[in-house]
């Protein structure tokens, strides 16, 4: 049996009595993460002082980088510094996971600093604050579904889910899925639990495997039209994004203005903050729903997909386009497409970042060096008129065929 890592998220419907311990666990996770960071910073400062005094390297103060060492420090310190932890009846698994989260952040920083981690450079971990969101984690299957609509959370109790979890409970029951962790989070007053799974997807992937006779396609991503899909049958499809943030800007401005007029610490400020969070949550849900539906359809219907390698981090540095680019979600689109293609047996091919897909004539291969971003159509010297996005999609498809054959 071959398993893969997958997440499964379901919204919870906690009672008023259950919301209090859930909030307390989120606060506990924040306290433990900040305790670990405080300890590491103090030890690093001590080491620097000792080095300036000429203390030999072998005798320098040890810094607790690993999760076990951070957890041991927490266990030794909490009876005196945080006596409420033992008195409140909170789960001991939450501090354990908070130490793991902080240790992972420290490792990412250290690896990034010495060039051992791919991607953009990671900064030193910062303090967790309430405004960063309420969340906490359980290890292994401490949190798990005990019925199709009930989840048990240590330290909280049995919490009702807002939808059936039959898909998950059936797979856990017959051994096709195993819970390896769970994260409980809150946004705009609503609570979710996300299970991290080791799961055998053989039955799902087999039922949805893309047909070997399915077409291949090239995809051009853009702001005017989110994706232009040109397949090898000659067809071209344009898909427009919902532009969720743009649609919600007026409402978001009003909500933020109402928030700025309230008094800090007041009940009205809490309500106004909740209203702002609700707008952001709706925007994120609309964007996520669109991306998931589109990437699932493509992965199930196309045998091979050619995409661009976009430097999204560099693109958002353009102040005029940054908001529109972030609203589109180019990076998330490609990420979802890649892992879903692996599920359903299709392939994703990424062109070189400097491949001139828009400037190359798909008819004769000539490159139009004078093409600018504002040129939506152009005529090649060979006489063929091109739509910029349609031409780019066709060129990506041709480049993929030339490379893979």
């Amino acid at each position: 049996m071959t398993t893969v890592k997958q997440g499964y998220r379901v919204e919870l419907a906690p009672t008023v009595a259950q919301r209090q311990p859930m909030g307390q666990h989120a606060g506990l996770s924040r306290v433990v993460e900040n305790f670990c960071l405080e300890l590491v910073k103090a030890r690093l400062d001590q080491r620097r002082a000792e080095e300036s005094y000429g203390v030999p390297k072998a005798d320098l103060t040890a810094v607790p980088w690993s999760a076990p060492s951070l957890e041991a420090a927490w266990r030794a310190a909490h009876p005196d510094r945080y006596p409420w932890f033992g008195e409140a009846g909170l789960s001991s698994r939450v501090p354990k996971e908070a130490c793991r989260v902080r240790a992972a952040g420290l490792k990412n920083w250290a690896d990034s600093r010495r060039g051992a981690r791919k991607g953009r450079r990671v900064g030193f971990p910062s303090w967790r604050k309430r405004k960063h969101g309420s969340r906490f984690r359980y290890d292994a299957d401490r949190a798990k579904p005990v019925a199709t609509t009930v989840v048990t959370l240590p330290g909280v109790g049995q919490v009702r889910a807002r939808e059936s979890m039959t898909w998950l409970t059936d797979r856990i029951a017959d051994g096709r899925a195993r819970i390896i962790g769970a994260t409980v989070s809150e946004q705009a007053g609503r609570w979710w639990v996300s299970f991290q799974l080791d799961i055998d997807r053989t039955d799902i992937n087999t039922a949805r495997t893309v047909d070997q006779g399915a077409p291949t396609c090239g995809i051009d991503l853009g702001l005017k039209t989110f994706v232009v899909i040109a397949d090898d049958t000659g067809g071209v499809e344009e898909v427009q994004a919902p532009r969720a943030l743009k649609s919600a800007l007026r409402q978001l401005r009003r909500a933020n203005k109402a928030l700025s007029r309230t008094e800090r610490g007041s009940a009205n400020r809490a309500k106004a903050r909740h209203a702002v969070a609700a707008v952001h949550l709706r925007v994120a849900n609309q964007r996520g729903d669109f991306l998931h539906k589109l990437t699932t359809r493509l992965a199930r219907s196309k045998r091979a997909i050619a995409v661009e390698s976009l430097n999204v981090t560099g693109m958002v540095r353009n102040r005029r386009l940054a908001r529109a680019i972030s609203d589109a979600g180019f990076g998330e689109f490609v990420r979802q497409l890649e892992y879903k293609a692996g599920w359903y047996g299709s392939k994703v091919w990424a062109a070189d970042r400097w491949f001139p897909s828009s400037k190359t004539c798909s008819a004769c291969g000539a490159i139009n060096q004078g093409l600018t971003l504002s040129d939506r159509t152009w005529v090649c010297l060979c006489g063929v008129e091109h739509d910029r996005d349609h031409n780019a999609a066709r060129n990506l498809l041709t480049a993929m065929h030339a490379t893979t054959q």
Side-chain angles (χ1 to χ4, degrees), residues 341-388:
W343 285 353
Y344 303 121
S346 55
K347 303 291 184 182
V348 173
W349 177 85
D352 181 80
R353 181 171 293 180
W354 307 111
F355 177 67
S357 59
S358 298
K359 297 180 178 181
T360 303
C361 174
S362 56
C364 69
I367 298 178
N368 181 2
Q369 297 291 356
L371 190 69
T372 64
L373 190 61
S374 61
D375 296 330
R376 306 313 306 171
T377 61
W378 59 282
V379 180
C380 181
L381 294 176
C382 68
V384 177
E385 183 177 357
H386 295 293
D387 176 281
R388 178 193 186 94

Side-chain angles (χ1 to χ4, degrees), residues 6-21:
Q6 183 180 339
Y8 184 90
R9 185 172 183 252
V10 63
E11 186 176 358
L12 301 175
T15 64
V16 175
Q18 289 172 334
R19 287 175 179 271
Q20 181 179 355

Side-chain angles (χ1 to χ4, degrees), residues 21-29 90-91 94 135-136 138 154-156:
M22 290 170 74
Q24 289 176 329
H25 280 88
L28 171 63
S29 179
L90 301 177
S91 172
V94 172
R135 59 168 171 76
F136 57 96
Y138 295 106
V156 178

Side-chain angles (χ1 to χ4, degrees), residues 10 12 35-36 97 113 115 142 149 171 178 184 201 205 238 248 264 276 285 292 295 305 331 338 340 351 367 385 401:
V10 63
L12 301 175
F35 165 81
C36 294
E97 285 300 289
R113 190 181 183 188
R142 308 287 177 175
T149 57
R171 284 166 173 75
R178 180 174 63 93
V184 181
R201 289 185 51 92
N205 296 348
E238 294 185 357
R264 291 184 180 275
V276 173
N285 287 343
H292 273 294
T295 52
I305 304 168
E338 287 177 341
K340 290 178 183 180
I367 298 178
E385 183 177 357
H401 285 171

Side-chain angles (χ1 to χ4, degrees), residues 74 265 319:
W74 162 258
R319 294 179 61 187

Side-chain angles (χ1 to χ4, degrees), residues 190-339:
R190 297 164 62 181
W191 289 89
W192 285 267
V193 59
S194 300
F195 296 108
Q196 291 81 55
L197 309 172
D198 254 339
I199 185 169
D200 178 15
R201 289 185 51 92
T202 303
D203 59 329
I204 314 168
N205 296 348
T206 301
R208 298 290 188 178
T209 298
V210 65
D211 186 81
Q212 290 305 304
T216 60
C217 71
I219 293 180
D220 178 69
L221 295 166
L223 295 178
K224 184 175 181 292
T225 303
F226 180 71
V227 291
V228 173
I229 307 166
D231 59 38
D232 55 10
T233 63
V236 178
E237 178 189 0
E238 294 185 357
V239 180
Q240 303 292 341
R243 299 183 181 179
L245 179 59
K246 183 178 180 180
S247 302
L249 278 179
R250 185 175 182 182
Q251 186 178 5
L252 188 59
R253 288 192 187 102
R254 287 181 175 179
N256 276 311
K257 285 181 179 179
L259 175 62
S260 67
R261 288 194 293 266
T262 57
E263 184 179 350
R264 291 184 180 275
S266 66
N268 282 337
R269 188 172 184 84
K271 294 178 183 178
R273 186 166 58 247
H274 180 277
V276 173
V279 177
H280 281 293
L281 177 61
R282 184 166 63 254
V283 167
N285 287 343
Q286 289 175 351
R287 184 185 299 118
D289 179 71
F290 165 75
L291 292 176
H292 273 294
K293 287 178 179 177
L294 177 59
T295 52
T296 297
R297 175 168 70 88
L298 289 170
R300 289 178 178 178
S301 62
K302 307 297 182 183
R303 178 166 44 91
I305 304 168
V307 296
E308 302 171 273
S309 296
L310 297 177
N311 179 16
V312 179
T313 303
M315 292 168 65
V316 296
R317 290 174 184 160
N318 185 330
R319 294 179 61 187
R320 294 184 178 181
L321 300 177
R323 185 165 63 193
I325 292 170
S326 299
D327 193 14
F330 293 143
E332 180 64 11
F333 171 80
V334 175
R335 186 190 73 87
Q336 290 185 15
L337 195 60
E338 287 177 341
Y339 78 74

Side-chain angles (χ1 to χ4, degrees), residues 38-48 50 61-64 73:
E38 177 189 359
L39 178 63
V40 169
K41 283 188 171 185
R43 295 287 178 86
L44 287 173
D45 290 342
Q46 181 65 25
R47 282 178 68 94
R48 294 190 191 99
E50 291 171 349
T61 299
V63 180

